Amino acid sequence: MKKILISFLTITFLISLTFASDTGGVFSPLILDAKSGGMGEAFTAISEGFSGLTYNPAGLTYIDEVTLGFTHLQIPQSFTRVEFIGGAINLGIFSLGAGLQALGVTNPDELLFPYYEGIAQISLAKKLNNKLSLGTSLRLYVAKLDTEEANGLGIDIGAIYEITPVLRLGAVWYNPISYIKWTTGLIETPGRQDLVLGVNYKLFLGEFPLNIAFDFSFYDKIYFYQRLHFGLETQIPKTPVIIRTGYNGEKNTLSFGVGLNTKNIEFNYAFLYTKDMSNQHIFSLSLKY
């Protein structure tokens, strides 16, 4: 009976992703970075360092050191967890990044059928001049659901333009070229297909630096608010402690985050509150050397 219940909840979760919006379905977009998750995923114009692997690949040009990172996400309602590991390096002529993502159930022995998703990616980025950076990511997909298997590919294209040192514009086109092919012959596209424009502005309120971000999706959604992302970030003066909050319209979540950023180590945590699904906890760790 327990196996049947777990299987039913997992199938229901997958179906809900498929029909919730045009970003649902197999390989639905998940939050793979606690830093961005704490800011409502309003990260298109930021995407610095490790975050460039999962958001705007153009952000990889802001890496000065070798960066390695890991993210853990758990979704209790669907008995699902996600692990992401990646790294990036600035080679001077261009920046190079790579990552692996694995999604599966937390207790596979109690599931009536095998289920997993895996993604391998490689990203390239180049700073064309002092203001404009371009980047692209190639992703290879594999999946298994019961007796069926699938594989495919997808490409993201991104850009970041610095208007001034405190004002940036960013844009990402997710999966303009993509496909997923199942052994049944069914061909579909990865869950995230979108064109997103972002703005990032930095200012100071006394001793407190304030990082403000806003993203807007140009693809149709069921509701207009699903196109919107807002994020705020500040650092407690004279400490490595960073505090974040945001709203993610696509996933209808309020987020709160905290980070510790030292010279070589960055740890971030995000809590996502939503009425649509269970609350989520995201942990990310990145190392620079």
Side-chain angles (χ1 to χ4, degrees), residues 22 34 56 76 81 83 87 91 106 128 143 151 177 180 225 233 256:
D22 60 356
N56 191 340
R81 72 177 187 183
E83 318 290 348
L91 298 174
T106 55
L128 298 186
N151 59 72
I177 301 173
I180 303 292
Y225 70 82
E233 177 186 69
F256 306 91

Side-chain angles (χ1 to χ4, degrees), residues 210-268:
L210 188 62
N211 203 6
I212 305 171
F214 170 74
D215 278 13
F216 179 81
S217 169
F218 285 89
Y219 274 37
D220 287 336
K221 303 291 192 295
I222 298 176
Y223 302 105
F224 179 79
Y225 70 82
Q226 292 177 321
R227 297 184 177 200
L228 309 177
H229 299 256
F230 300 94
L232 295 173
E233 177 186 69
T234 189
Q235 183 170 354
I236 299 176
K238 301 178 182 179
T239 75
V241 180
I242 300 171
I243 299 173
R244 306 180 180 96
T245 188
Y247 173 71
N248 186 330
E250 180 182 352
K251 298 178 176 62
N252 195 22
T253 60
L254 290 174
S255 58
F256 306 91
V258 63
L260 295 173
N261 191 359
T262 65
K263 181 179 179 180
N264 300 110
I265 300 175
E266 184 174 356
F267 172 79
N268 294 296

